[in-house]
Amino acid sequence: MSKVALSDARTNQILRLHIIWRVVFALLATAGTLTPWIGWVTFASNWQKILVTAILLVAALASLFGARQLTRRSHAGRMIALTLDYLAFVACAVIVLNTGQVFIGIDALGETFGRGVPYLGIAVAGYFLGAIEEYYPKRNLSPTNSLKAVSRWVILGGFVLFLWQIDAVNGLLYFLSKLAQPKGLVAVAGVLVFGFSLWSMMRPELAQALNAKTNHEQIINGWLFLSPNLLGFLIFFAGPLILSFYFSFTDSDAFNPPNWVGFDNYARILNVRFAWLSSPDQLAREVVDIKIYDEVGRFKFGNGGLLFAAADKFFWLALRNTLTFALFAVPLSVIPALLLSNVLNSKLPGMKFFRAVYFMPSIAAVVGISLVWQWLYNATIGYINYFITVGIEFWNTLFNVAIVDPKIQWVSDENTALFAVIIIAAWQSMGFNTVLFLAGLQNIPGELYEAATVDGAGPWAKFWGITLPMLAPTTFYVVSTTTIQAMQVFEQVFILMNPPEGPNNSTITLVLYLYRSGFQNFKQGYASAIAWVLFIVIFGLTLVQFQRQRRSSIYEG
Amino acid sequence: MKKSFVFKMLSLFVIASFALAACGSPAATEAPAETEAPAMTEAPAVTEAPATEAPSAEEVTLRWRTRPDNQEEIDVYSQISTELDAQLDGITLTYEPGGTEGANYQDQLRSEVAAGTAPDVFWIPGTDVADFATRGLILNISDLAAQTEGFNVSDFYPGPMYHLTYNPETDASGADSGALWGLPRDVSTFALYLNLDLIAEAGAPDPRELAAKGEWDWDAFLDVAQKTRALGSDIYGYGASAWWGPYGVWLNASGGGFFTADRKACALNTPESLAGLDFQRSLYQDYDVATPYGEDPEPPFRAGKVAMFQNGRWATPGVRTVDFNWDVVELPNGPKGTPGNWLFWGAYVINAKTAHPEEAWKLVQALTTAETQGKVAALGANIPSRVSQEALDAFLTFTPPANNQAFLNGIADAAAPTAEGPLWAGSWPEFDKIMGPAIQGVLTGATSVEDFGATICDEANKVFNQ
């Protein structure tokens, strides 16, 4: 399709329309700020009303500012117009899809999808038909009767049959029927109006009239490509993050409007007491106010001891367990991975196979893995204890000794439960870390090893003197990410342990406690506060790691 | 050029269809009852409840959910849904099992309730009723029930109905309390699943015969457990899971319990409760007859290594697959002459945000008729919640186990079962999370019964409203 260039007069006319549109946009947005407060649209709580009002107010002000810039023929006005129209366009498109129930329709598609799968085979066959010509081109065929042309129609036919089989026609009709309501029609109108405005503003004549430069177009395209990810980040990550920060200052239960409680949630988390015990077994109620505090633990020494009590003992138990978990799980998933990567980095035959084998636990579903380990760990009929028993019996018979079978209660003994989880976590993340180390090893110049060999260095000296220092950036990344993962341990504990807190709360972790508080005890506000304390703990640990990394002189500059 | 344009247009149509195909068929994608949140600080009165769109057509679509234990139950509930769909005029039903691989039934349900996407009617365990009711998440259907001809709360077991008619504002319970939060789906109770081969091999007396003679008490139970345990280091006399149900019966049987009579304070430290706990501790620590506490006892039982496995009726379908002789017997009587058993139950309740409370109430009634409950009970997983001799007679025919009567004995008035129930004056989940680990400490030998008794209620009483 050929493009028709616009005359200057026409361009000016369109520009004026855009200026008017910006003012109308501002008026509409301003009117929109009133809707939450006069009951046109219902919101569950005040924060939602305030948020919507603030967004619309900013949009209105930005639109007015954009109109002013457009009158000055400033390119900033064009950028503002494009941004606002694009965001409004996306919002309307989402409302259209939501009103048409496309999102919840995914389940229905899942039910009918299987019926259409064989017809996708036709589309695949069409693709191969086209591929044949790629490899065996025949000169006497014209572009219209070539295999490629045929293949395109076959692919299209296959897709059409597929859509027919999965009931797409009914789906379309249903979608349209759901749109036929005021909300849907307004959203469709919004899509059309904002889409048209966008298209118009993107026209080269208008860009030229607004003094657009080449880099402006590049910037716009860059943002456009970035926008799906950026919007997803803002809506599904940054938004909830800010929201959880707000909730952490409320008593939200997720169902009813939250009340502002200030720092109460944080104060409860951090409310602890230490008290001296006159005897190691002195009751906590004799030294702290038991109506507020619960015993978390006690340090016994001599004829006395020190009691540690907290208003929320579960938080401190969870913190203790999480730190213990990280303390063991991180070295156990990093050090073996480092050694393993050195072995797998050799050029021995079959190494690629083993690389895949070690990586497998990382891609397997955590739920499945945890269930398998649950069986392995069973104290009475599990394989681990079975092999320990067989091994001990063999040893006893062979050497005529009487070693007692420990019959370890892996997941039901408070002394071993957390260790059982550590083993799974380390086993699971070791493969991924190995691959990261492998990538790091392959970036170390071979000349360094050759020079070291010439200097008479042995394998161990090369490892300490070359491999380890050269791998420092990789090691830093691996240790940091593994530590963060370890501090957020949840799935393994949740699935493996029954109850998840384990015997005597020995496997309660911070994320597990957060989950329990928010989703089982209806304390979303308190759970949010726990999440932010966890964030601070992880941030602090990562900061320490960064500082240690900076001290490394090898990679400075 | 033209052809290319046609091709592009067709391709565009196909791509658009792909996106919109997600809408699927109308029946399969009917939205959940569209809702706008009512003020939820208190349960809305029925007449005010549907702060939602009025139904646009005569046919009303309701989503309902109950937790199944296995695929067979999903099939039965799906079948029931189809049949009720045909029976209930003007109502189209969609059944969904709920729960996913990574989130259990209750957690997922709570998230959906918070998001406003929960079904119109759903099942919750008895312990959750207070939390849902006091937060205004489920409807008080007493007004609807009062207008329903032939409906009578006494048609159901009194234990569950005490809690389901509890009015937290007046502390009253019963048909005239002004509260009805739902109807019980079914009831269940504990029994001991017996490995008859192991018991015979050990030369121990048959617990069923002892029960018939009225001699099945804690001493007799311990005797059977010790004799079977003596068969080998990998054979156990008794096995029970690590949650409040199994350990609670020992406390109940000795005259104790979790709560005081008014359920407004902790009673775990009473001498009776501690005596019951001490007996159970002895099974694990002194006599060493039980599978390690905290380990799932079902796999070893099904592997033929446990003589007496304490579990509810819901375990029956799984036990039916074992290849040894088995049956069930009621729990042994404790020092007070009763087994201290539980009357487990869960209820169908109505989402406070449903757009169709009246239709939902019809559905709840239809789901709890004797006929519907009989179909579910035929699977062997639970007992009808209606007090009906007909229902009980039918239940006895659902064999194996041959001794189905043991379950009925467990819920009979003579056994004085304690109804599972919510904490209207506190938080049950929080109480459970304090009690469970502490009792585990006792049963694994980490804490003495005396230390447990000295401290547990200091902590547990904090979950009650001050």
Side-chain angles (χ1 to χ4, degrees):
Chain A
M1 285 195 293
S2 60
K3 289 179 181 171
V4 180
L6 297 172
S7 65
D8 285 352
R10 181 89 174 131
T11 305
N12 288 337
Q13 202 175 4
I14 293 174
L15 199 56
R16 275 197 295 278
L17 283 175
H18 270 287
I19 294 167
I20 293 168
W21 166 236
R22 291 269 57 90
V23 175
V24 171
F25 184 103
L27 288 173
L28 287 173
T30 310
T33 58
L34 301 175
T35 53
W37 306 99
I38 56 178
W40 282 9
V41 183
T42 312
F43 290 91
S45 56
N46 281 339
W47 70 262
Q48 291 176 345
K49 289 182 187 176
I50 293 167
L51 186 68
V52 169
T53 306
I55 289 171
L56 288 174
L57 211 58
V58 169
L61 291 172
S63 192
L64 280 179
F65 183 67
R68 187 178 160 78
Q69 294 300 313
L70 286 176
T71 55
R72 292 176 175 177
R73 302 244 167 170
S74 160
H75 191 261
R78 182 173 176 246
M79 295 294 277
I80 291 169
L82 284 173
T83 307
L84 289 175
D85 286 343
Y86 178 71
L87 292 175
F89 173 81
V90 171
C92 287
V94 170
I95 294 170
V96 166
L97 295 175
N98 190 42
T99 310
Q101 298 187 357
V102 169
F103 301 121
I104 62 170
I106 295 292
D107 289 343
L109 180 62
E111 285 172 16
T112 57
F113 193 84
R115 291 208 303 263
V117 169
Y119 295 90
L120 282 179
I122 296 175
V124 175
Y127 170 78
F128 280 115
L129 211 61
I132 288 171
E133 193 173 280
E134 292 278 336
Y135 289 99
Y136 307 104
K138 291 182 180 173
R139 287 176 191 171
N140 56 349
L141 292 175
S142 69
T144 50
N145 64 0
S146 68
L147 274 177
K148 211 162 189 176
V150 174
S151 84
R152 287 204 299 183
W153 286 102
V154 171
I155 292 171
L156 193 62
F159 278 128
V160 169
L161 282 171
F162 167 76
L163 289 170
W164 184 264
Q165 285 300 313
I166 63 171
D167 221 5
V169 177
N170 270 339
L172 271 171
L173 293 174
Y174 183 69
F175 173 75
L176 294 174
S177 72
K178 285 289 165 188
L179 275 189
Q181 55 172 297
K183 190 170 81 173
L185 295 175
V186 168
V188 169
V191 167
L192 294 174
V193 170
F194 293 118
F196 181 75
S197 176
L198 270 174
W199 170 78
S200 169
M201 191 52 95
M202 286 294 283
R203 297 200 70 172
E205 292 85 354
L206 223 58
Q208 209 172 4
L210 291 166
N211 304 313
K213 294 172 186 165
T214 314
N215 68 327
H216 285 143
E217 295 308 303
Q218 286 173 345
I219 288 169
I220 290 170
N221 288 335
W223 280 109
L224 210 55
F225 276 110
L226 202 61
S227 63
N229 198 305
L230 195 63
L231 286 175
F233 171 81
L234 290 173
I235 294 168
F236 297 112
F237 186 79
L241 201 71
I242 294 165
L243 205 58
S244 80
F245 189 64
Y246 162 72
F247 277 145
S248 72
F249 295 102
T250 70
D251 64 353
S252 169
D253 66 352
F255 307 115
N256 299 303
N259 299 309
W260 183 263
V261 296
F263 284 94
D264 282 6
N265 290 329
Y266 293 97
R268 179 170 153 71
I269 290 172
L270 301 174
N271 189 358
V272 296
R273 282 284 180 281
F274 289 93
W276 292 106
L277 299 168
S278 56
S279 72
D281 299 323
Q282 188 179 8
L283 290 176
R285 75 158 78 100
E286 293 169 10
V287 288
V288 293
D289 183 356
I290 209 69
K291 285 182 181 164
I292 300 172
Y293 301 102
D294 291 315
E295 179 177 341
V296 180
R298 57 178 65 203
F299 310 97
K300 297 177 182 178
F301 35 81
N303 293 326
L306 183 66
L307 179 88
F308 176 40
D312 181 3
K313 78 164 187 178
F314 292 113
F315 172 82
W316 292 96
L317 289 173
L319 181 64
R320 180 199 69 185
N321 292 340
T322 307
L323 290 173
T324 309
F325 177 86
L327 192 67
F328 287 96
V330 173
L332 283 174
S333 53
V334 172
I335 296 168
L338 178 62
L339 301 175
L340 196 63
S341 62
N342 276 276
V343 176
L344 294 178
N345 197 33
S346 64
K347 293 192 170 28
L348 292 172
M351 277 303 134
K352 283 184 181 172
F353 170 76
F354 283 105
R355 283 177 201 173
V357 167
Y358 283 110
F359 193 64
M360 256 177 213
S362 301
I363 55 170
V366 178
V367 174
I369 283 176
S370 301
L371 289 174
V372 169
W373 277 93
Q374 202 175 45
W375 277 80
L376 293 173
Y377 277 140
N378 190 296
T380 51
I381 58 165
Y383 275 107
I384 295 178
N385 273 6
Y386 171 75
F387 284 119
I388 290 174
T389 304
V390 169
I392 287 175
E393 283 173 3
F394 176 74
W395 194 263
N396 285 347
T397 311
L398 195 66
F399 297 103
N400 197 24
V401 289
I403 299 172
V404 178
D405 186 351
K407 290 189 176 170
I408 302 168
Q409 293 173 219
W410 293 97
V411 294
S412 59
D413 184 334
E414 64 180 283
N415 298 312
T416 54
L418 191 62
F419 189 62
V421 182
I422 289 169
I423 290 173
I424 299 177
W427 170 80
Q428 199 183 7
S429 54
M430 191 178 70
F432 186 72
N433 289 345
T434 303
V435 171
L436 292 176
F437 278 126
L438 261 174
L441 284 172
Q442 285 165 4
N443 282 332
I444 299 175
E447 293 83 358
L448 292 177
Y449 291 107
E450 287 165 15
T453 308
V454 170
D455 289 344
W460 195 239
K462 285 184 205 170
F463 179 77
W464 278 109
I466 299 172
T467 307
L468 220 47
M470 294 298 284
L471 269 182
T474 310
T475 310
F476 167 68
Y477 175 77
V478 169
V479 171
S480 300
T481 53
T482 311
T483 305
I484 292 170
Q485 279 174 4
M487 293 298 292
Q488 295 175 342
V489 59
F490 173 73
E491 295 101 328
Q492 293 97 335
V493 182
F494 190 67
I495 305 293
L496 179 72
M497 306 303 297
N498 186 20
E501 294 81 7
N504 204 16
N505 291 309
S506 57
T507 58
I508 187 173
T509 60
L510 281 174
V511 178
L512 181 67
Y513 183 48
L514 183 162
Y515 177 79
R516 188 174 101 181
S517 300
F519 293 92
Q520 295 177 335
N521 294 351
F522 299 106
K523 291 180 177 174
Q524 294 261 328
Y526 192 67
S528 299
I530 296 170
W532 277 93
V533 173
L534 174 63
F535 166 76
I536 291 166
V537 172
I538 293 176
F539 185 78
L541 286 172
T542 312
L543 208 62
V544 170
Q545 287 169 337
F546 261 103
Q547 281 178 338
R548 287 179 62 82
Q549 168 71 4
R550 282 204 193 111
R551 283 183 205 157
S552 168
S553 58
I554 296 173
Y555 296 98
E556 283 296 325
Chain B
M1 192 70 178
K2 240 179 182 178
K3 271 191 176 177
S4 168
F5 180 71
V6 170
F7 189 82
K8 280 178 184 170
M9 285 298 106
L10 273 171
S11 302
L12 203 62
F13 173 75
V14 168
I15 291 165
S17 301
F18 252 109
L20 299 176
C23 302
S25 64
T29 59
E30 191 63 51
E34 284 206 9
T35 55
E36 297 294 350
M40 302 232 298
T41 45
E42 59 183 45
V46 173
T47 48
E48 300 169 353
T52 57
E53 286 179 9
S56 56
E58 285 185 6
E59 190 72 13
V60 163
T61 297
L62 293 180
R63 288 166 55 217
W64 70 283
R65 180 183 297 180
T66 188
R67 184 180 69 186
D69 284 329
N70 48 47
Q71 186 58 43
E72 287 75 26
E73 277 195 36
I74 292 176
D75 295 342
V76 167
Y77 286 124
S78 300
Q79 181 65 28
I80 287 170
S81 189
T82 307
E83 289 169 11
L84 294 183
D85 195 329
Q87 283 173 28
L88 297 171
D89 290 337
I91 301 176
T92 301
L93 297 179
T94 306
Y95 167 68
E96 45 198 63
T100 62
E101 189 180 54
N104 69 32
Y105 178 91
Q106 275 120 293
D107 294 350
Q108 188 197 9
L109 180 67
R110 285 188 178 109
S111 303
E112 291 186 11
V113 169
T117 57
D120 301 277
V121 170
F122 49 83
W123 174 91
I124 53 174
T127 48
D128 283 4
V129 169
D131 254 343
F132 277 73
T134 52
R135 291 172 198 277
L137 308 181
I138 55 177
L139 279 186
N140 179 353
I141 46 180
S142 62
D143 287 351
L144 282 174
Q147 295 159 18
T148 306
E149 200 178 325
F151 175 78
N152 196 338
V153 294
S154 61
D155 288 345
F156 298 88
Y157 279 96
M161 292 319 292
Y162 171 84
H163 296 292
L164 283 171
T165 58
Y166 185 84
N167 188 334
E169 288 174 7
T170 60
D171 262 358
S173 185
D176 303 324
S177 68
L180 180 64
W181 303 109
L183 294 181
R185 182 188 74 174
D186 49 43
V187 296
S188 196
T189 192
F190 278 138
L192 288 170
Y193 288 81
L194 305 172
N195 182 330
L196 297 174
D197 292 347
L198 277 182
I199 291 170
E201 187 184 343
D206 188 331
R208 294 170 302 175
E209 292 172 9
L210 293 173
K213 288 190 279 187
E215 296 171 4
W216 185 231
D217 55 18
W218 283 8
D219 290 337
F221 165 80
L222 184 58
D223 178 49
V224 175
Q226 284 180 303
K227 282 178 175 157
T228 46
R229 177 70 168 125
L231 288 173
S233 62
D234 60 340
I235 304 293
Y236 296 89
Y238 167 71
S241 302
W243 57 285
W244 61 266
Y247 60 71
V249 297
W250 305 101
L251 276 63
N252 294 342
S254 59
F258 298 162
F259 315 115
T260 51
D262 61 0
R263 300 173 73 85
K264 290 183 177 175
C266 161
L268 289 165
N269 60 355
T270 63
E272 293 83 4
S273 296
L274 295 178
L277 183 61
D278 192 43
F279 178 75
Q280 194 188 6
R281 183 202 58 77
S282 71
L283 299 176
Y284 290 92
Q285 300 300 320
D286 299 344
Y287 303 114
D288 184 30
V289 293
T291 54
Y293 190 80
E295 298 283 339
D296 184 0
E298 190 160 356
F301 176 75
R302 289 167 70 165
K305 293 180 180 297
V306 178
M308 294 181 287
F309 167 46
Q310 180 183 342
N311 213 333
R313 178 69 187 185
W314 56 84
T316 297
V319 176
R320 281 176 178 163
T321 61
V322 301
D323 56 3
F324 52 79
N325 289 313
W326 68 279
D327 202 350
V328 293
V329 69
E330 48 267 53
L331 298 184
N333 286 330
K336 300 289 180 188
T338 60
N341 217 330
W342 294 106
L343 183 67
F344 296 112
W345 59 279
Y348 286 118
V349 295
I350 298 175
N351 188 342
K353 291 185 180 180
T354 183
H356 314 291
E358 292 179 8
E359 289 80 2
W361 167 236
K362 283 182 190 168
L363 174 60
V364 169
Q365 290 177 87
L367 286 169
T368 51
T369 60
E371 186 189 358
T372 305
Q373 293 190 336
K375 286 173 189 164
V376 182
L379 282 175
N382 46 31
I383 304 166
S385 62
R386 279 183 178 270
V387 185
S388 145
Q389 193 55 47
E390 191 185 347
L392 298 183
D393 291 344
F395 174 76
L396 289 173
T397 65
F398 304 140
T399 56
N403 188 24
N404 267 325
Q405 186 63 42
F407 287 105
L408 300 187
N409 291 346
I411 58 173
D413 289 344
T418 304
E420 165 190 7
L423 270 186
W424 291 95
S427 165
W428 163 256
E430 290 188 52
F431 186 89
D432 184 34
K433 293 299 181 189
I434 291 168
M435 172 176 64
I439 286 201
Q440 183 148 21
V442 174
L443 299 180
T444 54
T447 313
S448 71
V449 174
E450 291 74 27
D451 287 350
F452 170 87
T455 57
I456 184 65
C457 284
D458 287 341
E459 197 176 340
N461 273 330
K462 287 176 192 162
V463 309
F464 293 92
N465 304 334
Q466 298 301 312

